[in-house]
């Protein structure tokens, strides 16, 4: 909403389930992405940080990135060439709305 600040906390899990690229089935990565989205009079901005909690196997090109698209919050994910990866996330939001 306009004139709101939203804190988000996303826990993301990625597991390789197949493919013929580098790595093995069962490789995994757990990431926490968190930050704040500000909607000031309809203009959105985002500040975020990412922490790799745990990983095993070949996961160096795997990414989860929080972003804004128009007035929407999106979580983009990227794997590695030739990998089939299952992604899951749990995202919580805390919001403060002002009249400013």
């Amino acid at each position: 909403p306009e004139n709101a600040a939203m804190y988000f906390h996303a826990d993301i899990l990625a597991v390789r389930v197949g493919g013929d690229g580098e790595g093995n089935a069962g490789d995994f990565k757990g990431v926490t992405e968190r930050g704040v989205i500000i909607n000031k009079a309809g203009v959105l901005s985002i500040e975020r940080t990412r922490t790799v909690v745990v990983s095993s196997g070949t996961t160096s090109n795997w990414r989860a990135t929080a972003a804004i698209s128009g007035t929407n919050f999106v979580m983009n994910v990227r794997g590695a060439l030739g990998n089939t990866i299952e992604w899951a996330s749990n995202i919580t939001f805390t919001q403060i709305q002002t009249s400013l």
Side-chain angles (χ1 to χ4, degrees):
E2 281 197 23
N3 302 319
M6 294 181 68
Y7 172 80
F8 66 90
H9 182 113
D11 294 312
I12 300 114
L13 174 61
V15 178
R16 180 178 175 174
V17 296
D20 59 6
E22 187 177 352
N24 299 297
D27 291 352
F28 64 87
K29 190 171 204 174
V31 177
T32 297
E33 177 107 348
R34 56 192 174 271
V36 173
I37 303 161
I38 299 289
N39 183 337
K40 188 173 184 180
V43 178
L44 274 68
S45 63
I46 186 170
E47 294 291 331
R48 59 178 181 69
T49 184
R50 178 185 318 119
T51 303
V52 175
V53 178
V54 65
S55 68
S56 177
T58 304
T59 63
S60 59
N61 289 324
W62 301 9
R63 299 266 188 287
T65 305
I68 49 177
S69 176
T71 57
N72 296 311
F73 172 87
V74 294
M75 182 61 71
N76 296 307
V77 295
R78 178 186 84 188
L81 185 64
N83 283 201
T84 303
I85 303 168
E86 294 285 336
W87 296 86
S89 66
N90 181 45
I91 306 171
T92 58
F93 294 92
T94 304
Q95 176 180 307
I96 295 176
Q97 183 138 11
T98 69
S99 58
L100 300 177

